[in-house]
Every structure is written in C-alpha cells, then in structure tokens.
Amino acid sequence: MIFLPTQNNTKRIFAIAMGVYTFIALIAFGSLSQHQFELDDLAYLKDLDQISQGPSAIFSSDRHLPGRPVTDLSLLLIQTISPNNPAVFHIAVVLCHLIATILLTFTFYKTGLSQELSLIGGLFFLINLSHFRAIQWISCLAYPLALSLGCLGLLFYIAYQKRTQKTYYIISLCGFVLALLSHPAAITFACFAFYITWQNKQPLRPAFGISVLSFIFLIGLLKLFPHVPQAEHVTAAFQWSIIGFLQHGLWYLGRLWTTTLILFPGLNGIQTVDLIFGTLALLGVGLLWHQKKCPIAHWGIWMLMGLAAFITNPNQTHFE
C-alpha cells in the first residue's frame, strides 16, 4: 500500500502497533455494544426510515441532520444489515473510529513525524476524551467517517507529490469529496493539503486545484442543503463581532485541552479557564511555527484549521 512504511522493520513495528490499537479499542469501547439509542440517534433512525422509502429523501430538507449523504448511506447499510439493533450500530462506529485512528497515524508518519511520535499521537487520539461523543453516539458517525476519508485523501495526495501519478491525484480528490459528503467540516483536509504543499515548497498548482474544487463542492453542498446546521451557523455568524469570533475560537481551543486533560470536568458555556488554555495553546502553535519546528508545527496548524471549521457553532455547552 502506498501509505505504509517502506522499511521492513518499521512495517513490523506499525503492524504490532495496529494490533495494540485494536486491543485497546476493544477494552476501552467494547462495552458500547450494550448501549441503547439516545437523543439524536433516535432522530437519525427516523431519517433512515425516510431514506429507505426512496433515495430522493437524502436531498430532503425535512430531516434532522441533512447534508451528509455518505453518512446517511453508511447508516442505512447498517440498518439494512441489522434493523434497529443498537449493538451493531455502536460496533460500526467504534470500528470506524479505529480505522480513522490507523489512517491518522499513517498520515502523521507520511507528513514527517517520527515513528515514535506518530504512534504515540495515534494512541492518544484513539483514547482521547475530547472527542468522546463521536464514539458513543451513533449519530456522530459522520466525524470518524469524514476523518477516515479525509486522511485517505491526504495519503494519496502525499503519494502523488512523490510520484506524480494522476491516478493518485484523482483518488485523493475523491477522498476529499467523499469526506465533505460525510460532514461539511471536512473542507479542512483540502486546506491542509494546500498548507503542507506550501510549507514543503512544492508546486502549488495541484493543491490549488484540489482546494478550489473542494470549496466549489462545499458551496454547492450548502446550497443544496440550506438547512444543514453548518450553513445556518455561518449565516448567523455574520452578526458576530471580531471579539466574538476570537472569544469563541479561544473557547473551543481551550475546551479541547481542559476536557482532554480532565482538569475541570462539568464546565458549561464559555469559562475564563477555557480562554486561558486556548490562548496558551494558540501561542504555543505560533511559537512552534515561528521556530520552524516542523512537522510538529504543521499538526498544530491542522488543529487550528479543524477547530475553525466549527467556530461558528453557537452551542456553548458542548464538551468537544
């Protein structure tokens, strides 16, 4: 496979690590097979009932979470295999999270992180509390699914940069588009592809093409699904002040760390401690980038890009 390490010893280490990841996922998330449907899960089941009546329902705005056709079809497949069985749904979400973790680990490695940092980063992502909803809620399948497809797109794009085979470029673009069709926030991947191309001083034309096509596709997606939450959030955010944007961004960035480190459990809304941690994290990324601590700095920029995709979300009670 084009995204696997080339040296035999490194391949063995990665193979062992993937086995360890699988074992940890089984221990950490195996009990989710006993969980039931809850909250948004039930609304998504109603959406699936609509879609099962005819594919045109995918494009209906009269749904709980429109604008994610790849996610809809994936959940519909699970529903077809085992109707209304929460255990199968939860197992599928955990499996998708595990696949996303493995692909993200390979992406770390292929963008220049050392073998040790790549594997440790993948392990932390696998068990990181800051994205627990994406594992425990069936309706959050969109997140690990978009991450898996986006990482696949990045891996093939990196392979294209090294071998300039058009097939890799086309597969890469398909990965980015399918990620967007899983969740609109996946536009982050096209932006990151452009960023790493610029930072590595490689020709920008291929990355520019992917970015432009991805943004055109995103705009078309939001126009086709005007009631998708991201479209409504962006429209509402035009009324925000610059201070509001900055505060919201620092809150999201800070909450990422306070939740991950389990320092202040139970916080709701924008808290001063979140803003402090967010400011420190932003300064840390800026320092790494200024001192050219690549590729660690690249993944700091990736973190900021990922959060920027959600900055217009007005809900201040989330624990993501």
Side-chain angles (χ1 to χ4, degrees), residues 59 61 66-69 180-181 183-187 214-235 238 309 312:
F59 303 98
S61 60
R68 305 174 183 182
L180 276 172
L181 290 174
H183 194 288
I187 189 63
S214 295
F215 270 100
I216 291 174
F217 201 90
L218 175 63
I219 293 170
L221 184 66
L222 297 182
K223 288 289 185 181
L224 185 61
F225 299 99
H227 297 293
V228 68
Q230 286 70 34
E232 295 177 347
H233 296 164
V234 170
T235 301
F238 280 112
T312 57

Side-chain angles (χ1 to χ4, degrees), residues 169-233:
Y169 187 81
I170 294 171
I171 295 175
S172 171
L173 181 59
C174 289
F176 293 141
V177 169
L178 289 173
L180 276 172
L181 290 174
S182 301
H183 194 288
I187 189 63
T188 304
F189 293 100
C191 297
F192 190 62
F194 186 90
Y195 168 79
I196 59 175
T197 302
W198 169 59
Q199 282 293 296
N200 294 335
K201 295 181 172 56
Q202 294 179 315
L204 291 176
R205 186 174 177 180
F208 182 76
I210 280 181
S211 298
V212 169
L213 288 173
S214 295
F215 270 100
I216 291 174
F217 201 90
L218 175 63
I219 293 170
L221 184 66
L222 297 182
K223 288 289 185 181
L224 185 61
F225 299 99
H227 297 293
V228 68
Q230 286 70 34
E232 295 177 347
H233 296 164

